[in-house]
Amino acid sequence: MTLLLSVLAINLLLAQAKKPSIMVIPSDVWCNQNGCVRNYEINGETLTVPDYKKALQTSDQLVFVISKLGSMMADRGFPLNTLEAALTRIDETAARNIIMTSKNGASIKENPIDMLNRQAKADILMKVTWAVKKNGPKSYITYTLQGIDPYTGKQVAGAEGVGEPSMSAAADVLLEEAVLEHIDNFCARLQAHFDDMFANGREVAMDIQIWDDTSIDLETEYMGKELGEIIENWVYDNTMNHRFQKSSSSETFARYEQMRIPLFNEQGRAIDTESFVRQLRSYLKKTFQLECKVVPDGLGHCYLIIGGK
């Protein structure tokens, strides 16, 4: 009990001392309005995603706005990851979509936004939408800020407003003047979300699938228990506070959502969805000699495909 209390106390102190890393990006709305989008064909459907590289190359105003918001967040102690640096890393490593199609028809593809999230490694994406408008000789700005958890896509903080008319026409100056009234409350909400992750874990999801050329399924018994039950027990034992939801299951498929996984392992290394699911793969191989394939699908979701690699 004493050791447990000590660990909880250390985690609380870390949560109070550490702030989430931030990346400022233009919102999907802004990108659409300014023609900075790309279309991708995935499984026969068209996916429209922001083209951040084009946005940075064609809009000086965007560069100024990102720089200003980044400076405001840095002044409040939030570590920054820059959009431009993340895009450069993608180019340098020739990152590309990864497609994997199994014999049972499952198709998995990582889209450009997922690739950006992996390169960015930011705890929070700070999306900004703005428009500079005129009121006689003066200009004013309307804006929306969204704090997005890149693992779940959920909004964890928000702020919006209209700035006072000003003789300045510079978007970054107008935005700073308008945002100042709400930025501290916005930051407090971001910190509250991050503190909750320290205390209760990061929310992720996992799908269990079976290759169709294996005789194994989730009803196959090992040591008197069905494989599906064994996996569920492992998830129960390894999620923080045993928090997860099994939303769907059959003899060949299971979906685990709202799994809360630790931010760090015992050695202090960061844990993401892929590394967490790999732990399950290692357990199944070591204990039951089961071969499995782990396929990441963005930051917050992974497939574990049983029956081979």
Side-chain angles (χ1 to χ4, degrees), residues 203-207 235 239 243-248 254-260 301:
E203 183 179 325
V204 303
M206 172 180 68
D207 283 355
V235 172
T239 48
R243 294 178 62 178
F244 70 95
Q245 178 178 330
K246 187 178 181 182
S247 60
S248 180
R255 172 164 294 161
Y256 290 87
E257 298 177 321
Q258 299 175 33
M259 297 193 306
R260 289 298 193 106
H301 179 250

Side-chain angles (χ1 to χ4, degrees), residues 210 215-230 251 290:
I210 308 290
S215 60
I216 300 167
D217 61 34
L218 295 178
E219 294 181 353
T220 303
E221 290 195 4
Y222 296 88
M223 301 179 183
K225 293 183 179 179
E226 292 185 353
L227 179 55
E229 182 183 0
I230 291 169
E251 64 181 27
L290 284 174

Side-chain angles (χ1 to χ4, degrees), residues 64-90:
F64 295 146
V65 165
I66 288 178
S67 177
K68 178 59 68 177
L69 285 174
S71 296
M72 294 175 73
M73 297 302 289
D75 289 344
R76 288 158 178 80
F78 289 85
L80 293 175
N81 296 336
T82 67
L83 175 60
E84 187 173 6
L87 295 175
T88 298
R89 286 194 294 270
I90 290 176

Side-chain angles (χ1 to χ4, degrees), residues 5 17 55 65 76 132 147 167 175 190 192 201 213 255 258 280-281:
L5 291 175
V65 165
R76 288 158 178 80
V132 177
M167 294 302 294
L175 185 65
L190 295 183
D213 59 355
R255 172 164 294 161
Q258 299 175 33
L280 173 56
R281 180 184 65 182

Side-chain angles (χ1 to χ4, degrees), residues 66-232:
I66 288 178
S67 177
K68 178 59 68 177
L69 285 174
S71 296
M72 294 175 73
M73 297 302 289
D75 289 344
R76 288 158 178 80
F78 289 85
L80 293 175
N81 296 336
T82 67
L83 175 60
E84 187 173 6
L87 295 175
T88 298
R89 286 194 294 270
I90 290 176
D91 289 341
E92 288 175 348
T93 58
R96 63 184 181 272
N97 294 331
I98 300 173
I99 304 174
M100 192 281 293
T101 303
S102 72
K103 293 182 180 180
N104 63 7
S107 180
I108 299 165
K109 185 171 183 178
E110 188 173 43
N111 66 52
I113 303 305
D114 293 331
M115 288 192 289
L116 173 65
N117 285 337
R118 284 188 175 279
Q119 291 292 337
K121 299 186 183 301
D123 296 307
I124 300 292
L125 297 179
M126 187 173 173
K127 293 189 175 184
V128 56
T129 308
W130 79 96
V132 177
K133 301 184 178 182
K134 299 292 291 186
N135 183 10
K138 295 184 177 182
S139 299
Y140 69 97
I141 198 167
T142 61
Y143 73 91
T144 300
L145 299 180
Q146 297 171 289
I148 305 295
D149 182 335
Y151 277 74
T152 64
K154 295 179 180 178
Q155 180 172 317
V156 299
E160 58 185 32
V162 179
E164 293 293 328
S166 169
M167 294 302 294
S168 173
D172 56 328
V173 175
L174 292 172
L175 185 65
E176 180 179 25
E177 294 172 349
V179 167
L180 276 174
E181 181 180 355
H182 301 289
I183 192 69
D184 290 328
N185 185 51
F186 181 82
C187 290
R189 292 182 179 179
L190 295 183
Q191 189 65 51
H193 174 71
F194 196 62
D195 291 346
D196 174 70
M197 288 197 296
F198 259 99
N200 299 304
R202 188 192 301 278
E203 183 179 325
V204 303
M206 172 180 68
D207 283 355
I208 308 294
Q209 294 182 327
I210 308 290
W211 292 111
D212 67 353
D213 59 355
T214 180
S215 60
I216 300 167
D217 61 34
L218 295 178
E219 294 181 353
T220 303
E221 290 195 4
Y222 296 88
M223 301 179 183
K225 293 183 179 179
E226 292 185 353
L227 179 55
E229 182 183 0
I230 291 169
I231 292 173
E232 185 169 340

